[in-house]
């Protein structure tokens, strides 16, 4: 079984490599522009803080001093690190459009936690190498604040993720989790880990080692995925889908428009998607999808199949001398 010291060294090296990778990311390879540029620096700072935390824990042996000292270092570094990593993902999701309130709330929660922890450690009169009842109580409070901060960030991320998911699925007329599925895994795992922090960091031995390994593995996954997303074409595909959904005006005559599209015979074309048909009709994809859901067809594939079958039946009636193959 890996020891606590070996875990700390492994975590420090892993987080350092990830921070350097993001810091040295070649700007012109990024498809995001400024939004990804800021996000990668936030993620680099977050992973860098975790690396510093592991370094301090290993160098000064805070865990060996006692649980209270080890937890103090965990919270002082994990809280701002989680804030930066979560905001980096949100920044990429929103293409840089994060409001002041969305920045202020988690920053205030994190700031209060750090100030209270630091102030108590310096002013309670108990040497750092000794257990402190006051510091232990403040650590419990800070753990709750950490959970509140991550809950707030998760709600922002999840709402944005669902909007992106809906836009992409409608545009491509099928699920495209391959474009940004990593976001879903990242924000969900970080949210789950946040709820385990108040339970795990106060433990010792194997549970703590296992949790720490899982924690920095999840951070590593999010970091590598964000880096890959930033230098790929996937962001542009998602952005196109979102723009089409948001900017195309809604038309109240959707029923009449669908009938006109039927009469045009456009359903004969190959490889039709919801995005293509919506552009042919000149309506928003969301509006067309809502109409389909309320209709007898349910979805585009059923509508197209029904129209093609009806036309095939008409052709057979008009040309009884034709063979099925013809």
């Amino acid at each position: 079984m890996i020891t606590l010291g070996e875990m700390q060294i492994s975590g420090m090296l892993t987080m350092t490599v990830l921070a350097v990778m993001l810091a040295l990311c070649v700007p012109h390879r990024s498809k995001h522009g400024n939004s990804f540029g800021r996000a990668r620096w936030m993620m680099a700072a977050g992973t860098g803080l975790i690396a510093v935390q592991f370094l301090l824990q290993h160098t000064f042996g805070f865990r060996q001093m006692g649980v209270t000292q080890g937890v103090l270092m965990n919270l002082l570094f994990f809280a701002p690190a989680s804030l930066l990593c979560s905001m980096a993902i949100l920044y990429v999701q929103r293409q840089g459009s994060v409001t002041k309130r969305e920045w202020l709330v988690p920053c205030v929660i994190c700031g209060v936690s750090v100030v209270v922890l630091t102030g108590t450690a310096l002013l309670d009169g108990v040497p750092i190498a000794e257990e402190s009842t006051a510091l232990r109580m403040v650590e419990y409070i800070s753990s709750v604040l950490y959970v509140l901060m991550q809950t707030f960030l998760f709600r922002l991320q999840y709402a944005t993720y669902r909007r992106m998911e809906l836009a992409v699925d409608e545009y491509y007329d099928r699920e495209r989790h391959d474009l940004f599925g990593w976001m879903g895994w990242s924000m969900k795992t970080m949210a789950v880990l946040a709820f385990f922090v108040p339970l795990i960091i106060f433990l010792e031995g194997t549970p703590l080692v296992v949790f720490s390994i899982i924690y920095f593995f999840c951070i590593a996954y999010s970091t590598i995925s964000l880096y890959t997303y930033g230098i790929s074409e996937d962001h542009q595909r998602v952005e196109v889908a979102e723009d089409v959904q948001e900017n195309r005006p809604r038309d109240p005559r959707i029923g009449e428009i669908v009938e006109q599209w039927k009469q045009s015979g456009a359903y004969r074309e190959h490889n039709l998607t919801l995005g293509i048909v919506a552009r042919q009709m000149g309506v928003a994809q969301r509006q067309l999808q809502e109409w389909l859901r309320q209709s007898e067809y349910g979805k585009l594939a059923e509508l197209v199949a029904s129209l093609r079958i009806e036309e095939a039946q008409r052709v057979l009636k008009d040309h009884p001398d034709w063979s099925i193959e013809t």
Side-chain angles (χ1 to χ4, degrees):
M1 178 64 187
I2 186 173
T3 65
L4 182 63
E6 291 171 339
M7 180 276 296
Q8 291 170 343
I9 294 175
S10 300
M12 178 188 65
L13 293 176
T14 302
M15 294 300 112
T16 300
V17 169
L18 292 173
V20 172
M21 179 189 72
L22 288 168
L24 298 180
C25 175
V26 181
H28 74 266
R29 293 183 63 192
S30 168
K31 308 302 178 183
H32 280 259
N34 291 334
S35 63
F36 175 71
R38 297 189 184 99
R40 74 183 177 91
W41 282 114
M42 284 188 281
M43 187 70 85
T47 52
L49 283 175
I50 298 174
V52 172
Q53 187 272 152
F54 280 123
L55 175 62
L56 293 176
Q57 290 274 25
H58 182 73
T59 302
F60 296 101
F62 290 107
R63 277 286 169 182
Q64 286 74 10
M65 292 180 188
V67 173
T68 302
Q69 293 83 351
V71 170
L72 172 65
M73 299 306 297
N74 287 151
L75 291 172
L76 282 177
F77 287 89
F78 277 178
S82 297
L83 168 62
L84 288 167
C85 292
S86 296
M87 288 303 295
I89 294 174
L90 183 65
Y91 217 78
V92 170
Q93 287 179 319
R94 299 278 190 83
Q95 300 173 35
S97 299
V98 181
T99 66
K100 291 181 179 179
R101 175 182 173 276
E102 291 167 344
W103 263 111
L104 184 63
V105 172
C107 285
V108 168
I109 295 174
C110 182
V112 169
S113 175
V114 171
V115 169
V116 170
L117 285 168
T118 306
T120 303
L122 295 175
L123 301 176
D124 71 343
V126 179
I128 191 64
E130 299 179 12
E131 291 291 329
S132 167
T133 303
L135 184 57
R136 174 63 71 92
M137 184 60 63
V138 169
E139 288 173 350
Y140 289 144
I141 296 172
S142 295
S143 296
V144 174
L145 291 176
Y146 177 82
V147 172
L148 291 176
M149 180 189 73
Q150 285 300 116
T151 300
F152 177 83
L153 292 170
F154 174 74
R155 290 181 60 188
L156 296 179
Q157 291 176 336
Y158 187 72
T160 306
Y161 179 82
R162 288 293 298 155
R163 189 196 69 222
M164 295 171 65
E165 189 176 44
L166 181 62
V168 168
D169 289 351
E170 289 182 358
Y171 183 77
Y172 293 102
D173 196 28
R174 64 186 187 279
E175 292 184 349
R176 288 300 308 271
H177 292 164
D178 58 301
L179 295 180
F180 58 97
W182 66 271
M183 289 184 187
W185 281 102
S186 296
M187 64 187 188
K188 290 172 186 176
T189 51
M190 291 183 68
V192 170
L193 290 174
F195 285 99
F196 278 97
V197 164
L199 302 175
I200 301 297
I201 61 176
F202 290 95
L203 300 179
E204 297 181 83
T206 301
L208 178 65
V209 172
V210 172
F211 177 78
S212 299
I213 292 173
I214 294 173
Y215 184 90
F216 71 71
F217 175 80
C218 292
I219 295 293
Y221 171 79
S222 300
T223 302
I224 294 172
S225 298
L226 182 139
Y227 176 87
T228 304
Y229 186 72
I231 62 175
S232 71
E233 300 288 343
D234 290 345
H235 169 70
Q236 292 179 320
R237 298 186 180 98
V238 174
E239 187 175 359
V240 167
E242 288 184 295
D243 288 343
V244 169
Q245 183 187 46
E246 293 176 2
N247 298 329
R248 191 176 295 278
R250 294 179 178 271
D251 195 319
R253 301 174 296 109
I254 181 65
E256 299 176 12
I257 293 173
V258 172
E259 287 300 321
Q260 293 173 4
W261 180 81
K262 290 180 180 180
Q263 297 301 321
S264 71
Y267 55 84
R268 301 188 188 97
E269 297 179 14
H270 296 290
N271 300 320
L272 289 175
T273 66
L274 193 67
I276 292 174
V277 174
R279 286 194 293 273
Q280 290 175 342
M281 294 182 181
V283 299
Q285 291 181 71
R286 180 69 177 274
Q287 187 178 18
L288 175 58
Q289 186 177 52
E290 290 174 354
W291 182 89
L292 286 168
R293 286 173 178 168
Q294 297 172 7
S295 71
E296 59 183 301
Y297 306 106
K299 55 184 179 180
L300 178 65
E302 295 297 329
L303 170 63
V304 172
S306 176
L307 293 173
R308 289 173 176 173
I309 290 172
E310 289 177 3
E311 178 156 353
Q313 291 173 338
R314 287 196 300 270
V315 171
L316 288 172
K317 289 179 180 179
D318 294 341
H319 303 277
D321 55 321
W322 285 10
S323 66
I324 296 297
E325 290 182 2
T326 303

